Amino acid sequence: MHDLTRCVQHPAVSHDGFKSLAVPTHRASTIVYDEPQDFARRAERGLDGYTYGLHGTPTTRTLEAQISALHGGERTVLVPSGQAAVAITMLAVLKPGDKVLIPDHVYPPVRHLCANYLAARGISHEVYDPLIGGGISDLIDASTKLIWLESPGSGTMEVQDVPAIARAAKVRGVLTGCDNTWASPLLFKPLAHGVDFVVEALTKYVGGHSDLLLGSITVKDLSLRKALKDVLGVLGIGVSPDEAALALRGIETMGVRMAHSGRVAREFAERLQQSPAVARVLHPALPSCPGHEIFARDFKAASTVFSVVIRPEFTARIYPALGHLSLFAIGASWGGTHSLIAPMDVTADRTVRAWNAAEGLVRLSIGLEEPGDLWEDLSRFLDALETS
């Protein structure tokens, strides 16, 4: 055999005796077939078969199976981000003339997707009060095909009555989808409460280290999984096995990370209520948070993210005060090892439940730093807010 051929053709080596705890990272575009007949009949392998790297490798399928098991679902599809998970779900079930209902606290890019992309293609949307519960029935008409939920809202933290909304939707034959990124399947399982699609930004708690972008959509109904795969196929959307490998590594420590940071977040939320600059703390475990009763009924515990409402007389000091932080990084997202803080302006994105524009809003994500050091850092921020 010529050396140039040896460069291309890999030698066979024995795998006997080799067993690793790590999931192998299978990188592939082309999938090869033993016989030409197998290639000709590759479509017969179905959605669970391997036909081309874009449609999955053993690495991505392992992560899909793990997410499905955690949610109590039948199948999961992976997409490049949490926002992609929302968009793909909507594109899979909505057609011109249909309508989707979205909550007023929805992740802003979802509102923009509905208003700026779907609307131009004949798909309408209506915004509803996130605390509407079973009253959602009054908004369902013949054109309504999907009700979107996000519980709690990732900025203002209202907790939705997911079971009541899912029941109302099913009575009218309407599908439901829920963004469960805040809770993860460790704290809340929407499929168990009647939701049809559960999406998550695996970028956050599953990844756990602020170094990957990935999303997931999990279903119980295999026909819904096919609808999702059909959209992914025609759009040519797949995910990298390297991203999936990072997620598989991160998911192993997700439970301990969330438990620790969740406890610290709740402690900080309670302490922050004592600050003169704080009007209220939006943490679902606190009785003052909208939807707290629903949270106490349906959720196993609280996660690491919550928001602080700053009194109007202190809002002008928020940006300068953020400059006094040394451990909390200013940035979006959450779920990583580093603590984050982000000033938010939700006024323009509220059309049903108005937000007081005079109040400030700051969202925190608690990481894995020593709690005493973090509180000392936050105290510098509070001192700067309170001191003229």
Side-chain angles (χ1 to χ4, degrees), residues 122-321:
I123 299 168
S124 64
H125 74 282
E126 183 175 350
V127 182
Y128 68 89
D129 184 341
L131 301 179
I132 197 171
I136 195 81
S137 295
D138 296 335
L139 302 181
I140 299 174
D141 60 27
S143 66
T144 306
K145 302 302 179 185
L146 177 66
I147 299 174
W148 197 254
L149 303 97
E150 182 179 311
S151 186
S154 60
T156 49
M157 300 291 151
E158 298 96 333
V159 182
Q160 297 195 255
D161 193 338
V162 174
I165 293 174
R167 284 194 300 269
K170 279 194 169 20
V171 168
R172 303 290 290 275
V174 174
L175 294 169
T176 51
C178 182
D179 186 333
N180 193 55
T181 303
W182 183 89
S184 88
L186 298 184
L187 305 182
F188 185 61
K189 302 181 191 294
L191 295 180
H193 294 277
V195 169
D196 297 295
F197 299 92
V198 56
V199 310
E200 296 199 4
L202 305 183
T203 303
K204 297 177 170 64
Y205 291 125
V206 169
H209 293 79
S210 306
D211 58 0
L212 67 88
L213 291 166
L214 205 61
S216 65
I217 314 167
T218 305
V219 298
K220 281 188 172 182
D221 185 335
L222 292 181
S223 68
L224 296 180
R225 187 261 193 130
K226 183 180 186 307
L228 295 168
K229 294 289 281 188
D230 286 347
V231 172
L232 292 173
V234 297
L235 295 181
I237 294 175
V239 302
S240 163
D242 294 279
E243 299 288 273
L246 287 173
L248 284 164
R249 184 176 65 180
I251 201 171
E252 293 185 10
T253 61
M254 180 171 69
V256 291
R257 287 186 283 105
M258 290 187 69
H260 167 79
S261 294
R263 286 193 298 268
V264 177
R266 179 163 184 171
E267 176 191 339
F268 283 10
E270 292 170 346
R271 294 174 71 177
L272 282 164
Q273 294 179 108
Q274 310 306 315
S275 169
V278 173
R280 58 195 180 280
V281 177
L282 302 176
H283 186 297
L286 299 182
S288 57
C289 189
H292 166 74
E293 298 82 4
I294 304 300
F295 170 82
R297 183 192 71 190
D298 293 344
F299 286 68
K300 183 178 180 180
S303 75
T304 70
V305 180
F306 65 98
S307 295
V308 178
V309 180
I310 306 300
R311 296 183 185 278
E313 59 267 33
F314 297 96
T315 57
R317 303 176 188 171
I318 292 176
Y319 283 17

Side-chain angles (χ1 to χ4, degrees), residues 47-72:
L47 298 179
D48 290 318
Y50 297 109
T51 57
Y52 191 66
L54 182 70
H55 309 307
T57 71
T59 308
T60 58
R61 294 288 170 80
T62 301
L63 180 59
E64 289 173 349
Q66 197 161 6
I67 298 295
S68 296
L70 284 168
H71 273 297

